[in-house]
Amino acid sequence: MADTSVRIDGNTLHLPGGALVRFIRTLRLPETGTHPLPPGLGEFPVRRVADYGDRVPETMRARGGVMLPVYLREAMWLSFAGTPEPAALQVGVGKVCAVSGRPWSDELARDPQNYVVLPRQPWLDGINSGTGTVRQFVAVPLGLGATVEGQVTGEEVWGGVQLQSFPLNDAQLARWRADERRRREQLPPPPPLPYGAPMPAAPPPGGGFGAAMPVSAPPAAGGFAPPMPMAAPPAPGAARAAGAPAAPPRGAAMGLGVGGSMRQEVYRDERPLSDWAERPAGRVFVHLVTPPEWRRITGEAAPPSPVDRAAYTRAGLPWFDHYDEDAQDLAPSDKLQAVKPVGDWLGDDHEPWQQPAPGQTRPLKDAPGKPVSDGDW
């Protein structure tokens, strides 16, 4: 019988059928204009809901899954690096499909397509709301109407992120594996190492086709650039800047709204829909919680809020551009095109924008754990 359990290894979710998903912290883009892909600034910590018993709200226990901490207006992207075999992955934001804008479904659909194809799709930074572009995932509390869920459905019930994976059906998976074996057998052997040469380092987890964008850490002192200042969260009781939104209330559930637009394609599936399994192999609910709630539940401090984008750009660190000339971009979703950015709900973005210098945007080429309990959602 096929294993239908989702597992967590470190901060990586392993969905049945081989799909690997990590949640990456990043710089929030301005809400006007279209921009290059922002960098990775490290992984969000991910923990199993089941490990914290009565310390999590009843709604979280009922839905099961995992949780991670996000700051108000913090941006993220999803990395699918290291997915070894073809998989169709549905991504929901408040149970609204981030690709089609349609309600969450337990079936794959093609018109419009309601999934991304792994490992062809190396990452997803936002909702499919433009031609060759997406609008960035940005965290906001439920109850304001600013989430994708609130704007598309008119209510905010679920929040969080939902993932569901479909493998190829048995016949197609056997054919794909046979083709891969033949392809590997036809590859020329690697050249021998010179005598005394060091052995090559093992590739990092999740490398290969569909690898994540390089994670850019603040450079060490004395390196090629000065360290980037990390913005610390405000002290308890500190006065907020004029026009800044209030922090979400203690225990407030978080969802995803949208921020700025970036150049990124959501690729059309080139396989017939009949190549995929009819039923999902596994699914997981990813809860987004505020840093104070994260500390209360887990006893851990959330990571500090990310570096501001102007400091990042001034340091000469890279932005990215990715284009796959062999893939076809999906048409944008009408429902998702109408979603307004979080600034329309929370007020102006006061973080300064500094345009990357010529040559600072780099082109990118294609490139066991504990089980996670599912729940009622």
Side-chain angles (χ1 to χ4, degrees):
M1 185 174 180
D3 183 10
T4 60
S5 61
V6 176
R7 294 183 176 271
I8 181 172
D9 185 8
N11 298 322
T12 301
L13 293 179
H14 296 243
L15 277 76
L20 303 184
V21 182
R22 294 181 300 137
F23 298 86
I24 309 297
R25 310 181 78 208
T26 190
L27 301 176
R28 192 175 74 251
L29 296 174
E31 293 177 357
T32 57
T34 300
H35 306 279
L37 300 179
L41 296 175
E43 300 174 351
F44 284 92
V46 180
R47 303 289 182 265
R48 299 191 307 169
V49 168
D51 289 337
Y52 297 95
D54 292 340
R55 280 183 280 175
V56 298
E58 173 56 34
T59 54
M60 288 179 63
R61 287 200 301 276
R63 294 169 186 173
V66 297
M67 59 184 170
L68 60 86
V70 289
Y71 289 89
L72 175 65
R73 271 184 159 175
E74 184 170 9
M76 71 164 60
W77 52 273
L78 278 58
S79 167
F80 311 129
T83 298
E85 296 185 334
L89 181 70
Q90 293 177 323
V91 179
V93 286
K95 294 188 73 172
V96 172
C97 177
V99 177
S100 70
R102 300 291 177 86
W104 186 255
S105 170
D106 285 336
E107 296 181 353
L108 297 180
R110 182 58 62 82
D111 188 21
Q113 183 175 311
N114 66 350
Y115 58 96
V116 293
V117 181
L118 312 186
R120 167 43 74 73
Q121 188 80 38
W123 45 70
L124 186 66
D125 288 61
I127 62 171
N128 177 35
S129 57
T131 301
T133 64
V134 300
R135 294 210 73 142
Q136 188 175 40
F137 293 132
V138 175
V140 286
L142 304 188
L144 302 177
T147 62
V148 175
E149 175 187 3
Q151 295 187 58
V152 171
T153 71
E155 56 184 3
E156 294 179 318
V157 176
W158 301 101
V161 177
Q162 298 76 39
L163 302 171
Q164 187 162 256
S165 63
F166 292 72
L168 291 172
N169 64 41
D170 291 344
Q172 291 299 323
L173 183 57
R175 183 174 293 113
W176 182 88
R177 288 173 174 172
D179 290 343
E180 280 295 290
R181 282 195 298 272
R182 285 192 293 271
R183 184 185 66 80
R184 286 194 296 268
E185 289 167 357
Q186 293 169 1
L187 293 175
L193 290 172
Y195 179 76
M199 293 294 291
F209 182 84
M213 293 185 288
V215 173
S216 303
F224 70 92
M228 295 184 297
M230 297 298 287
R240 57 190 175 96
R250 175 187 171 98
M254 302 287 280
L256 290 179
V258 300
S261 177
M262 73 188 78
R263 293 185 289 274
Q264 182 176 104
E265 295 175 316
V266 180
Y267 297 134
R268 182 182 302 278
D269 188 8
E270 297 173 352
R271 297 176 177 275
L273 200 58
S274 57
D275 279 8
W276 300 105
E278 293 184 358
R279 304 301 302 165
R283 66 177 195 164
V284 62
F285 197 109
V286 183
H287 303 268
L288 309 180
V289 301
T290 63
E293 189 75 347
W294 175 263
R295 181 186 283 275
R296 185 190 67 78
I297 293 171
T298 67
E300 305 173 36
S305 58
V307 63
D308 73 81
R309 59 197 179 219
Y312 180 93
T313 303
R314 282 197 306 269
L317 298 172
W319 295 75
F320 301 93
D321 196 11
H322 178 267
Y323 177 68
D324 186 338
E325 63 183 8
D326 297 324
Q328 187 175 0
D329 183 38
L330 284 177
S333 160
D334 291 340
K335 290 181 179 293
L336 297 180
Q337 278 184 309
V339 173
K340 297 183 182 301
V342 298
D344 285 13
W345 303 80
L346 301 180
D348 292 339
D349 182 355
H350 297 288
E351 189 176 328
W353 166 245
Q354 182 168 333
Q355 189 71 23
Q360 198 170 351
T361 301
R362 299 182 182 175
L364 294 170
K365 297 182 178 179
D366 297 333
K370 297 180 180 179
V372 175
S373 60
D374 191 20
D376 183 12
W377 51 275

